[in-house]
Amino acid sequence: AAAYRELISYFPSSVLARESRAVLARFEAQLRNRPADVMISRNSAEQKVHESPGSLRLTNVRNFSGPDYARVVIDLSDEARYVERRTGNRLSIQLGSAAVTSSLYGRRFIVGNGTLLKRIVVSDGAVMQTPAQGTVQVDIEVGSLSSYSTFRLSEPERIVIDLHAAGSIAKPHTREASPIATPRSEIPARSVAAKAEAREAQPRTRNLSAADRNASMALPEITDPILPQPRASSPEAAAEALAAKVDAKAAQASIKRIVIDPGHGGHDTGTISPGGMREKDLVLDVARRLRAYIKNHYPDIEVIMTRDTDRFVALEERTAIANSRHADLFISVHANASPSRAASGVETFFLSPDRAPAEDLQAAARENARLAVNKTGEKAEPVFASVTVGNRVAESRELARYIQAGLVRGIGAQSPRTAMNRGVKHAPFVVLLGAAMPSVLAEVSFLSNPKDEALLQTGQFRERVAASLFAGLNGYLKKNRASEQKGEQKAK
């Protein structure tokens, strides 16, 4: 709400101000007769427990909700132990030795009409009349809860809860059915500014010849993915083969919606090259070009961007956008960095419950926040193993192999050193956590390498990178459609 009021104060006679007033009026009408969602006892408020030095504070509750999926994020000031309890369509998260920050007192949390999420209520132990002192409880009410998962993230500390409605997995695609998930802890100002930002949304292909703009036509057709070196028989290899069989049937489903995720944005610049190129700007440009390739070659596929302008999007929101829109694929685009200016090459990641090498864990830590651990020396992987099931690991691995093949062979045709094959890898990238579809993260070059940076300064090479990403994706889509046709023939 504060963001809208600020827009009105700065531009009182503008179109943005008029739209801001309309949004504020709409939400005021929605909340007018509703009780507060943050209920704190008078005793707690008077004692100002939240001001105690070193005390754990609940600082905010954010939500991203669609018709049959919702993600709730509980923001905390420090590491917290919590207990979760489900009662019918209500999920309760109880925090011990905690308090609610005073800025939330009396807050009403906005949830979208017609979404799975119905209400979020925060209360302390005194209001709940529990014997435990210093207890805070978050109650999440949904329309029809089928399943849920929770995990903790650090830097900053938060608890993430994914909720799914009954029958949501089998829901068919409809473009009108699922609005983009929107953060609701505060009234979002993004929709108001969307018109002003729209002119920035088109791919930038200035000063490029027709041959450059159609760079994909000159790239090798990707008919086979990059495969790892053959491994000896092992439990891991057997598990991978089994997962591939489990995912094989799902892979025959038609791909109608793809989410492209340009990394970073807004105040989060990502990697900055020696010459000042910012990762957030590079990957947004490449993502726009990739979108254009998909739309041109597959007009029946809807393409959704997690951000289409230079704005910050929380890691949790990116996955929520893909889940709430029932995306079939999720592709996150990033650029790499290394302390060594000689480091070069491309690599593609997917999420897997298997342990990742230390180098790949460092890559995940650099791009995203880190996974929380419960005590010193505890391994991070068990924290997210339970939320990788929906990622369809075998399909994500296959998609990563095709994308990597496109990058190596496409970029390599112009600059073999820049396209050195660093492999298909798995690491706990937060942006991939909880994605309910095949999902990958592509590191398309090294901004820390001066020679790579010089290439990336040109629109021609950026077009080459986007075309290479599309070449790999195109190979995967053709394989998918061939599998779909075989499935239809067998059904007949």
Side-chain angles (χ1 to χ4, degrees), residues 192-249:
V192 176
K195 291 183 180 179
E197 296 174 338
R199 58 180 173 270
E200 302 179 18
Q202 297 304 315
R204 293 168 183 160
T205 55
R206 294 171 296 175
N207 303 322
L208 296 180
S209 66
D212 291 331
R213 287 194 298 270
N214 294 285
S216 66
M217 303 304 293
L219 294 177
E221 184 174 3
I222 306 301
T223 57
D224 57 309
I226 285 181
L227 299 175
Q229 293 296 323
R231 295 184 298 179
S233 179
S234 65
E236 291 78 8
E240 179 178 328
L242 177 60
K245 291 180 180 179
V246 171
D247 277 358
K249 188 171 184 179

Side-chain angles (χ1 to χ4, degrees), residues 350-374:
F350 66 98
L351 190 66
S352 168
D354 299 333
R355 183 166 307 287
E359 180 183 358
D360 299 339
L361 290 174
Q362 291 173 2
R366 182 180 62 252
E367 293 290 5
N368 301 310
R370 69 177 180 88
L371 290 164
V373 295
N374 293 324

Side-chain angles (χ1 to χ4, degrees), residues 264 268-273 277-280 335-338 366-367 446-448:
H264 309 283
D268 178 10
T269 62
T271 294
I272 300 178
S273 72
M277 183 187 296
R278 301 179 299 186
E279 180 183 0
K280 67 171 186 175
N336 223 329
S338 171
R366 182 180 62 252
E367 293 290 5
F446 273 79
L447 277 178
S448 53

Side-chain angles (χ1 to χ4, degrees), residues 170-185:
K171 187 169 182 176
H173 287 288
T174 55
R175 295 197 179 192
E176 297 77 21
S178 305
I180 291 180
T182 307
R184 298 288 184 180
S185 58

